[in-house]
Amino acid sequence: MKLEQFDQSAILVSDERRDRFAASDALRLRAHSVIPGGAHTYAKGDDQYPVLAPGFIARGLGCHVWDVDGNRFIEYGMGLRAVGLGHAFPKVVSAVLREICRGNNFTRPSPLEVDCAESLLEIVPGAEMAKFTKDGSTATTAAVRLARAYTGRSLVALCADHPFYSYDDWAISTTPMNAGIPQDISDLTLTFRYNDLPGVAAMFSAHPGRIAALILEAAKDAEPADGFLAGLRELCHRNGALLIIDEMITGFRWPQHSAQRHYGVEADLSTFGKALGNGFAISALVGKREIMRLGGFDHNRDRVFLLSTTHGAETSALAASLAVMKIYRSEPVVETLERQGRRLQAGIEDAAARHNVAEHFQLLGRSSNLVYACRDRNGALSQSFRTLFLQEIIRRGVLAPSLVVSYSHSDDDIDRTVEAIDGALGVYRRALEDGPETHLVGRPVQPVFRRRATPAPRVTRPRKQSRSSPIDRALPVVSP
């Protein structure tokens, strides 16, 4: 055993971690010394995974990834849903390689910018203009700025049931991680609940003539109630506000490649990304011409500085996006995602029923976009049980912060995943009886959006312990 210290508290790290994840542990120490949080995306941070987990992924192919220690995993979540086709998907890689050999960024626009915009607009109902950028946050923030300019209003309302739209102040001000955001900025953002039209109507009544736009995902873990999206659009327009739909996740994962098209609703503005580039950095803002044109110069109103980034339309990402959209038009990608998702869901639900944990381990969301909820013996959501589940599936060769499938997940991959989860749920069942701490190595995972930070790891000299020492069986101590 060795002792790894987190400031005033300590966790025990087993020989299993030392043996399987030695290279990750060494790299982790370097990462935390030069990168705040040790990663460039909070959802990829150490606090989101158990102690017994790979720290760094070296490569991926299809739905399989290899960490820096050479451990192989079947991956789900696929780069936070950005890799819909599979890692290093050959047709996408070939398109990118061809383009970067011609140069990746020029002084004037590339013709690919026009081709890519036209191709994307074919997918989004009612959208007439597009603007590309690198990540979802800049796209949604541009939509909010545009809505405020178009309406001449200051307030924006976001759906509180969909917790992340942007790292910018207007959105993060509604989370517990709002340090550094002035109250005057926070006061400009309102919240509403999903599937609650009366609540939205009351919000408009409480702020007459002041709300520029509402933003939400068309669907997430729950489906929209009958008439909700159409009713939301009608309420927005009746009150002079715009409807913004964030399709970062639903785009290229829902039927017809767009939740708007699937549910039969047209947003005034919408945002796309993630699977649009199959892992390459590209996102987009699309919308009605009369609104989007404010970011151009063919009008007589005040101009909006909409999106203008050095790398916003680099040719490698545009080539990836064009290849992705071509594949989606010619191959049954979404149908495969849904079929494999249903196969996975059925297998897991059978395993949960067999282990009598169906009320404690639950699958949520559309089959192509499954997430899971881990509950304790009292039915409360539990980070400890989530950590235990992650730990046990990782032990069995599956890396799954969610259960979001890709086009590359084969029947064999699904079957092996179900087998791994079946084993993990057996441990889960025992933990419901004798406590997760009996089976868990190290501290539990933490929510991304929390006010206080968990201190970064600091390693001390290992203590020499015999394998039969009582410290092997001690309960890990973790800071609150």
Side-chain angles (χ1 to χ4, degrees), residues 252-257 327-343 366-368 405-407:
F252 300 94
R253 192 163 286 279
W254 258 237
Q256 302 181 72
H257 311 158
I327 292 165
Y328 271 76
R329 285 193 297 268
S330 61
E331 300 185 31
V333 179
V334 175
E335 295 84 350
T336 301
L337 298 180
E338 297 216 322
R339 183 181 68 250
Q340 297 300 70
R342 288 192 297 268
R343 182 186 180 95
R366 195 173 188 88
S367 60
S368 61
V405 297
S406 77
Y407 190 45

Side-chain angles (χ1 to χ4, degrees), residues 124-125 218 245 247 258-267 269-270 272:
V124 188
I245 293 183
E247 290 223 45
S258 163
Q260 293 173 74
R261 195 173 291 280
H262 176 60
Y263 296 122
V265 63
E266 287 187 11
L269 298 169
S270 54
F272 285 77

Side-chain angles (χ1 to χ4, degrees), residues 152-328:
R153 300 173 177 183
S154 298
L155 298 181
V156 62
L158 59 81
C159 181
D161 298 292
H162 304 161
F164 186 74
Y165 296 93
S166 173
Y167 49 62
D168 288 302
D169 291 358
W170 67 271
I172 292 299
S173 64
T174 65
T175 76
M177 289 179 68
N178 58 2
I181 301 175
Q183 188 61 45
D184 289 349
I185 300 296
S186 300
D187 291 342
L188 295 176
T189 302
L190 310 172
T191 60
F192 63 94
R193 303 308 301 266
Y194 191 67
N195 279 334
D196 182 12
L197 284 178
V200 174
M203 181 181 65
F204 275 118
S205 296
H207 304 277
R210 298 185 62 204
I211 300 175
L214 269 61
I215 183 170
L216 78 162
E217 296 182 55
K220 199 170 177 69
D221 301 340
E223 287 286 295
D226 288 345
F228 172 67
L229 293 175
L232 201 64
R233 185 175 188 272
E234 193 277 328
L235 275 173
C236 285
H237 290 183
R238 188 199 314 165
N239 288 277
L242 301 185
L243 176 62
I244 304 170
I245 293 183
D246 179 352
E247 290 223 45
M248 290 293 163
I249 292 175
T250 56
F252 300 94
R253 192 163 286 279
W254 258 237
Q256 302 181 72
H257 311 158
S258 163
Q260 293 173 74
R261 195 173 291 280
H262 176 60
Y263 296 122
V265 63
E266 287 187 11
D268 299 299
L269 298 169
S270 54
T271 57
F272 285 77
K274 293 193 182 286
L276 176 61
N278 196 53
F280 286 86
I282 185 167
S283 294
L285 167 63
V286 302
K288 306 289 186 185
R289 184 180 309 278
E290 64 176 306
I291 306 169
M292 293 286 291
R293 67 199 289 258
L294 296 185
F297 42 76
D298 60 340
H299 58 87
N300 58 6
R301 296 183 57 172
D302 289 345
R303 291 182 67 197
V304 177
F305 198 93
L306 188 54
L307 285 166
S308 183
T309 60
T310 300
H311 302 289
E314 61 179 338
T315 58
S316 56
L318 293 171
S321 182
L322 282 165
V324 166
M325 287 187 278
K326 182 177 180 180
I327 292 165
Y328 271 76

Side-chain angles (χ1 to χ4, degrees), residues 21 26 114 119 249 259 324 335 364 393:
F21 304 117
V114 181
S119 185
I249 292 175
V324 166
E335 295 84 350
L364 306 168
I393 59 173

